DNA sequence: GGTTTTTGTTAGCGTCGCCTAACTGTATCG
DNA sequence: CGATACAGTTAGGCGACGCTAACAAAAACC
């Protein structure tokens, strides 16, 4: 019933498990069931069954009672998800001026649903935005609106 | 198991059903099971059960073998979804220059997952973008990148 | 090294949302 | 009005994911 994303036949749920394994592995070499359960706020039994699914698809290296790592193909997907996340987060924080926690939650929710086109276009937009000195405008919390060049704006605010 | 959105305890799936009823109703007064099934590309039996759920929650007026309309509370949610959709679509098409069909698909997928903050910030951004004559930059298909002021850009392109 | 604590698994169940197949209700048309 | 078509419902099944409870393995501690 779950819709699946561009690059993968993985459900959004499985994508989350995979990304979580990847992140924990990046931090500490390998993931344990308990870590994953904690990160995703699910019970350990749920993790076990998810790992079996991911393992069957060749996305993680998993054997009962052993630690978990991502396979090459799993890593590719996880990194792709991570890139999507990063692009969204970057956009939300640095262009829209959203606080990092909210941006994190939103990015996490949205990363699974971007078309290739939208993804690429967002990257282009951010690149342009960051390289373009003249038209920097961003959210100013003091004003509660967007304004051009927050630095000059601050001066005008006095 | 489905995550639910800000304003409603409705699953994403139920949100889609509700929005569909609303849209059909807007177009032709009321929705029939067949219309809804066609619009969402599901079987009629699935529609019946979804309608029972929505009806139980007080979101649609539904009686077996009769046409369907949204209730007041259903309308509020549907309109809210529609606004989110519209904001996203607007942004995708008019700022990012994405083609309307892709933008439609993306908006449809994303509309259920926006935080209040992100939603409002996007509105603010678009408003600013549209009211701000100086810093208009958008995707130019001819170039394959973003550029400032597409009209002057076109002249330079010759 | 045996006991206790922690970690992980299994089995079984509930919910959601989809499906098919078979049936009922409604409407249309001679 | 009866036959036929179409619309809608019911019943039952399935897959994905979550949970609890009970058990097994591993690790840690005296």
């Amino acid at each position: 019933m779950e819709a699946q994303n561009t690059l993968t036949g993985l459900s959004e749920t499985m994508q989350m498990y995979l990304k979580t394994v990847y992140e924990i592995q990046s931090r500490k070499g390998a993931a344990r069931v308990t870590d994953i359960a904690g990160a995703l706020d699910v019970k350990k039994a749920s993790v076990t069954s998810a790992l079996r699914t991911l393992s069957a698809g060749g996305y993680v290296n998993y054997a009962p009672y052993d630690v978990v790592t991502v396979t090459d193909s799993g890593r590719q997907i996880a990194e792709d998800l991570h890139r999507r996340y990063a692009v969204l987060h970057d956009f939300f924080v640095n262009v829209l001026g959203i606080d990092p926690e909210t941006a994190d939650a939103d990015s996490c929710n949205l990363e699974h649903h971007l078309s290739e086109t939208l993804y690429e276009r967002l990257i282009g937009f951010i690149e342009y935005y960051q390289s373009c000195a003249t038209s920097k405008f961003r959210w100013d919390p003091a004003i509660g609106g967007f304004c051009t060049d927050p630095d000059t704006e601050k001066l005008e605010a006095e």
Side-chain angles (χ1 to χ4, degrees), chain A:
Chain A
M1 161 258 140
E2 279 257 29
Q4 66 237 17
N5 205 7
T6 323
L7 287 176
T8 133
L10 254 36
S11 72
E12 181 172 340
T13 300
M14 287 305 137
Q15 289 177 31
M16 282 307 300
Y17 277 105
L18 182 54
K19 201 185 107 181
T20 302
V21 171
Y22 173 76
E23 284 166 355
I24 294 171
Q25 181 178 355
S26 301
R27 239 184 305 116
K28 42 188 285 194
R32 286 174 318 152
V33 169
T34 302
D35 300 331
I36 302 167
L40 291 175
D41 197 31
V42 295
K43 300 301 167 187
K44 288 180 290 180
S46 308
V47 174
T48 299
S49 100
L51 287 178
R52 240 200 309 267
T53 302
L54 287 174
S55 177
Y59 302 108
V60 299
N61 303 116
Y62 165 71
Y65 297 104
D66 203 355
V67 294
V68 191
T69 54
V70 298
T71 63
D72 284 355
S73 88
R75 154 169 291 108
Q76 286 188 325
I77 294 168
E79 285 178 346
D80 194 72
L81 280 170
H82 198 77
R83 277 192 289 272
R84 289 168 138 72
Y85 170 88
V87 165
L88 288 168
H89 198 268
D90 187 16
F91 177 69
F92 294 158
V93 170
N94 294 319
V95 180
L96 299 185
I98 291 175
D99 66 284
E101 295 75 30
T102 306
D104 173 76
D106 275 310
S107 308
C108 215
N109 290 331
L110 299 181
E111 64 182 6
H112 311 279
H113 304 286
L114 306 180
S115 69
E116 232 16 71
T117 304
L118 173 54
Y119 174 55
E120 283 162 10
R121 213 50 72 84
L122 260 181
I123 292 174
F125 183 84
I126 294 171
E127 257 170 29
Y128 181 85
Y129 176 83
Q130 281 171 345
S131 71
C132 172
T134 66
S135 55
K136 282 243 159 96
F137 52 101
R138 56 164 297 161
W139 179 264
D140 186 334
I143 295 176
F146 284 89
C147 61
T148 310
D149 198 10
D151 301 299
T152 65
E153 193 66 49
K154 248 199 273 173
L155 298 174
E156 290 173 42
E158 333 281 343

